[in-house]
């Protein structure tokens, strides 16, 4: 990208950008390729995400029309509601060329953070700004199970804004990368979970994204597919994109990313060099 675009506000008020945001020094131990260009792509400023969850309801509180009418007549309130503070005051800046791994135990807020960056969850407090349109890829990415792999490839590429000519150009590459071969002519309902995950990744990574968010999409792939996926992520980085990767396989994170954020109970516990952060995470 020749010139910096005006940062697009996803949610909330515009945060104060650190004065050194365009001149952040490289972290100790990084290779020359891993040095950010100095152009911010994602700014997360004091982000808080709160879920509202209704507590376990008794038989008299369960959500049906009769019980709802009874509560109205008796002037009773709703069943007890509980707030879950999933992300608590997270702040960081990502740059062009960054591949950022996000690690943490289940329930630490990793997937919630990605969904907030993608603009799918509104902040309770704080803000997220992105330069370009983030694209979220996860194992549950929406493809239509009743349609064939071929139709899903075409529709998925159109959804990303590709032209018919670009779809024709990328079609066979997507099929080959996913490894589904002759299954491309069958409905996705006949695919294994691994085949579906590989196809989703192949479609989403066929286009160069400003910000690509990957949530456990590589977990179901075999060794050969993971190797191809890691190479594709490197290609995205080299084309001045930014990648966020959530994965429980720490080896993939360490070999693919130039930076790791460790989330613990919704807060950033550590942010820095992959080897240092992963070593601390394993000890903790």
């Amino acid at each position: 990208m020749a010139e910096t675009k005006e940062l697009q506000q996803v949610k909330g008020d515009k945060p104060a950008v650190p004065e050194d945001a365009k001149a952040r020094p490289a972290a100790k131990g990084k290779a020359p390729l891993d040095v950010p260009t100095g152009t911010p792509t994602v700014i997360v400023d004091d982000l808080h995400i709160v879920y509202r969850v209704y507590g376990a309801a008794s038989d008299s509180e369960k959500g049906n029309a009769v019980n709802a009418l009874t509560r109205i007549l008796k002037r009773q309130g709703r069943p007890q509601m509980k707030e879950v503070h999933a992300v608590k005051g997270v702040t960081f800046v990502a740059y062009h060329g960054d591949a950022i791994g996000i690690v943490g135990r289940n329930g630490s807020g990793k997937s919630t953070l990605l969904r907030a960056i993608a603009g799918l969850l509104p902040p309770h407090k704080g803000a997220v700004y992105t330069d370009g349109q983030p694209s979220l890829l996860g194992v549950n990415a929406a493809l239509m199970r009743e349609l064939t792999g071929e139709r899903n490839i075409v529709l998925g590429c159109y959804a990303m804004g590709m032209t018919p000519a670009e779809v024709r150009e990328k079609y066979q590459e997507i099929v080959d990368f996913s490894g589904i071969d002759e299954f491309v002519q069958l409905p996705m309902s006949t695919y294994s979970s691994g085949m579906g995950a590989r196809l989703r990744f192949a479609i989403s990574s066929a286009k160069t994204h400003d910000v690509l968010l990957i949530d456990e999409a590589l977990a179901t792939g075999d060794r050969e597919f993971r190797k191809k996926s890691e190479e594709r992520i490197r290609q995205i980085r080299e084309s001045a994109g930014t990648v966020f990767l959530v994965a429980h396989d720490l080896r993939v994170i360490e070999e693919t990313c130039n930076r790791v954020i460790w989330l613990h109970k919704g807060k950033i516990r550590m942010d820095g060099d992959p080897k240092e952060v992963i070593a601390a995470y394993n000890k903790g």
Side-chain angles (χ1 to χ4, degrees), residues 7-268:
L7 290 175
Q8 172 191 357
Q9 181 172 342
V10 178
K11 296 287 181 182
D13 298 326
K14 187 171 182 179
V17 181
E19 294 182 0
D20 62 345
K22 293 188 177 182
R24 187 186 67 168
K28 183 179 179 180
K30 289 186 179 180
L33 178 62
D34 296 329
V35 178
T37 63
T39 304
T41 53
V42 176
I43 298 175
V44 177
D45 179 60
D46 192 27
L47 179 66
H48 294 257
I49 300 293
V50 176
Y51 289 108
R52 289 177 173 84
V53 181
Y54 288 98
S58 65
D59 290 339
S60 63
E61 294 175 331
K62 288 183 178 178
N64 58 54
V66 174
N67 290 335
L69 179 59
T70 301
R71 289 198 301 272
I72 293 173
L73 294 175
K74 293 183 178 180
R75 296 184 180 181
Q76 294 176 339
R78 294 181 178 182
Q80 185 177 3
M81 184 188 70
K82 181 180 179 181
E83 288 191 344
V84 178
H85 204 159
V87 174
K88 306 173 184 177
V90 169
T91 298
F92 66 87
V93 179
Y95 298 81
H96 277 299
D98 266 342
I100 301 175
I102 302 178
V103 301
R105 298 183 183 277
N106 290 335
S108 60
K110 304 185 299 296
S111 296
T112 299
L113 177 60
L114 288 196
R115 291 175 62 82
I117 294 173
L120 301 177
L121 288 176
H124 178 75
K125 179 184 176 183
V128 177
Y129 294 81
T130 64
D131 182 13
Q133 179 61 47
S135 178
L136 175 62
L137 168 65
V139 292
N140 295 318
L143 293 181
M144 303 185 71
R145 288 176 52 80
E146 65 274 15
L147 297 183
T148 65
E150 178 182 13
R151 291 302 302 160
N152 273 297
I153 291 173
V154 173
L155 294 176
C157 289
Y158 284 159
M160 294 189 299
M162 297 173 67
T163 65
E166 289 173 330
V167 175
R168 289 193 295 270
E169 179 184 350
K170 291 288 186 178
Y171 174 80
Q172 192 58 48
E173 177 185 330
I174 292 172
V175 175
D176 293 341
F177 188 91
S178 66
I180 61 173
D181 301 323
E182 67 273 8
F183 282 90
V184 73
Q185 300 298 334
L186 298 179
M188 278 199 66
S189 58
T190 65
Y191 292 10
S192 67
S193 60
M195 292 169 63
R198 295 199 305 269
L199 182 59
R200 290 182 183 95
F201 183 85
I203 293 172
S204 295
S205 61
K207 180 183 178 182
T208 299
H209 299 275
D210 296 317
V211 180
L212 180 61
L213 308 146
I214 305 173
D215 187 2
E216 285 293 347
L218 311 184
T220 54
D222 55 25
R223 182 176 180 180
E224 180 182 356
F225 178 72
R226 287 197 297 270
K227 184 177 180 180
K228 291 194 298 183
S229 301
E230 292 166 14
E231 179 59 32
R232 179 64 61 86
I233 291 174
R234 292 189 184 95
Q235 292 173 2
I236 294 172
R237 287 181 56 199
E238 289 170 3
S239 63
T242 302
V243 178
F244 288 85
L245 175 61
V246 169
H248 284 102
D249 188 340
L250 299 181
R251 181 193 59 81
V252 172
I253 295 261
E254 186 171 343
E255 293 181 359
T256 306
C257 301
N258 67 298
R259 177 181 172 191
V260 172
I261 293 175
W262 173 11
L263 284 183
H264 181 69
K265 295 183 179 180
K267 298 180 179 180
I268 292 181

